[in-house]
Amino acid sequence: METTPQIDFQGMEPSPVYRQQILEHIQRLEDKFGRMTACRVVVEAPSGRHRTGGLYEVHIYLALPDEREVAVDRTPHLDERFQRFEFALNDAFSRAGRQLQDQVGQMRGKVKHHEEAPTGVVKRLMREDGYGFLESVDGREIYFHRNSVREPGFEHLELGVRVNFVEEEGAQGPQASRVMPIAEKAPE
């Protein structure tokens, strides 16, 4: 880190024990991600305020390269576990770690890209037995069970309806583990 972390205690006397715990959390983030340039932690002592009376609040602000930042400043829910400093501290640093992981991933170009589900057409239905087959774009026949069909459900499927599906390898070949009707008929 380029600057010394700032740690502020509001509504309470600065505690060397709490300060050390905070520094240990900061060091773990630094060891894991190593991209922080500055850090500020504000600990608000429990107060008599109506909304968060009796709960610790821990706010964390991290500066990163490329003018990116991580901010954990949400007031805790009315959750009695936040009456304990250690719980509030662990919760705030856990949230900061998740945000920091996302930011570092973006900086490294490792952003998740969700592939679009493949498309198929319902070709055969065995309604009484509760299964069917669809044809994938590449011409393969893929089995699906009634429990794999999303709303409006297996009973509403018709031959020729387009579906998106998630394919996986079953005991007897490819099968669709999730079938989602697109609500349009395939061209004949």
Side-chain angles (χ1 to χ4, degrees):
M1 192 169 330
E2 296 174 9
T3 62
T4 304
Q6 289 182 313
I7 302 172
D8 296 324
F9 293 94
Q10 296 180 355
M12 61 188 285
E13 290 296 315
S15 164
V17 173
Y18 288 176
R19 181 179 302 279
Q20 185 58 39
Q21 290 176 349
I22 292 167
L23 290 171
E24 289 169 5
H25 276 282
I26 293 169
Q27 188 60 51
R28 280 195 287 272
L29 288 180
E30 183 74 24
D31 291 345
K32 187 170 183 179
F33 300 106
R35 305 285 288 208
M36 299 184 300
T37 57
C39 175
R40 180 168 187 240
V41 178
V42 178
V43 177
E44 290 184 36
S47 67
R49 292 184 297 173
H50 173 70
R51 188 160 165 246
T52 59
L55 307 179
Y56 279 96
E57 294 184 37
V58 179
H59 306 279
I60 303 169
Y61 307 96
L62 304 173
L64 308 171
D66 301 329
E67 297 182 13
R68 292 178 183 265
E69 62 183 33
V70 167
V72 175
D73 56 6
R74 179 176 54 102
T75 301
H77 302 291
L78 294 177
D79 183 338
E80 63 190 31
R81 295 176 297 176
F82 285 92
Q83 292 174 348
R84 295 188 350 261
F85 171 76
E86 289 78 12
F87 182 86
L89 183 68
N90 290 337
D91 178 71
F93 271 95
S94 177
R95 287 186 283 131
R98 285 190 298 274
Q99 287 184 38
L100 187 56
Q101 181 178 9
D102 291 345
Q103 289 289 343
V104 170
Q106 288 177 4
M107 290 165 49
R108 293 179 180 159
K110 294 180 181 178
V111 180
K112 287 185 180 178
H113 297 285
H114 298 283
E115 291 184 26
E116 194 145 326
T119 304
V121 177
V122 176
K123 286 297 181 186
R124 292 191 290 156
L125 286 171
M126 286 49 163
R127 288 201 190 277
E128 59 281 346
D129 296 323
Y131 69 93
F133 291 89
L134 55 92
E135 184 179 347
S136 66
V137 178
D138 59 5
R140 294 178 302 124
E141 188 172 83
I142 300 174
Y143 165 87
F144 66 91
H145 188 270
R146 77 177 321 119
N147 295 341
S148 300
V149 180
R150 299 293 189 243
E151 292 297 328
F154 181 78
E155 293 73 26
H156 293 91
L157 275 183
E158 296 178 27
L159 294 177
V161 168
R162 286 186 180 276
V163 295
N164 286 334
F165 64 97
V166 174
E167 183 178 343
E168 57 185 46
E169 196 60 33
Q172 298 178 355
Q175 70 180 34
S177 64
R178 192 169 35 204
V179 177
M180 298 146 293
I182 300 177
E184 63 183 51
K185 280 259 193 182
E188 294 187 30

